[in-house]
Amino acid sequence: MPKRQSQFEHDCLLEMLAEGLYGQKLTDVKADLDGFHKPFSITLPGMDEGDTPDATAFGTQLQIYEVETADSINDKHTEDQWRLFATYALENNAIFHVVVPPMCMGDARRRLKELSIEAK
């Protein structure tokens, strides 16, 4: 997949997220960034391929994080990832989080509602 123009913004948000997770009583923090252990790939029964979330961590439940920027919220790839991670979270007592810049929160909430996807 070609890199989005906002890949730098995405990676900065992901790094801030990953570093911030350590202070929240979470363990086994993983992020799809240099310097971190990479999260495991998530698949569902009957799927040939899965996808890797941007970050994961453990608290009382598995936490799955996907970081988006203004130009990725409406992508088909983003929709596919959100559906996969939200379904996995629902079926495995995990929590799915969508992380966006503050100015994108309304767009992300609107898109989640359009797609009938549950996320924090």
Side-chain angles (χ1 to χ4, degrees):
M1 175 175 206
K3 286 194 172 192
R4 297 185 313 267
Q5 288 181 332
S6 61
Q7 188 66 49
F8 178 76
E9 179 184 9
H10 173 275
D11 291 350
C12 287
L13 281 168
L14 179 53
E15 186 173 4
M16 287 189 308
L17 168 69
E19 289 175 358
L21 293 175
Y22 285 107
Q24 296 183 21
K25 297 184 182 177
L26 297 172
T27 61
D28 199 23
V29 174
K30 296 182 179 178
D32 194 6
L33 280 174
D34 290 340
F36 290 87
H37 291 289
K38 187 173 181 172
F40 60 89
S41 181
I42 290 178
T43 58
L44 295 172
M47 287 182 71
D48 291 333
E49 292 183 29
D51 210 332
T52 303
D54 286 321
T56 58
F58 285 91
T60 56
Q61 296 170 282
L62 170 64
Q63 311 289 313
I64 301 167
Y65 299 89
E66 190 61 23
V67 174
E68 303 300 341
T69 55
D71 68 339
S72 69
I73 290 172
N74 292 304
D75 284 352
K76 174 65 172 134
H77 178 71
T78 297
E79 176 183 343
D80 294 343
Q81 286 182 311
W82 288 4
R83 287 191 189 286
L84 170 64
F85 301 148
T87 300
Y88 182 90
L90 185 64
E91 293 177 358
N92 292 277
N93 192 34
I95 300 173
F96 173 51
H97 303 264
V98 173
V99 179
V100 296
M103 71 249 181
C104 298
M105 287 189 71
D107 290 338
R109 286 185 177 133
R110 175 195 49 77
R111 186 69 174 142
L112 287 163
K113 187 174 182 176
E114 277 177 12
L115 299 171
S116 300
I117 293 175
E118 297 259 341
K120 296 212 179 243

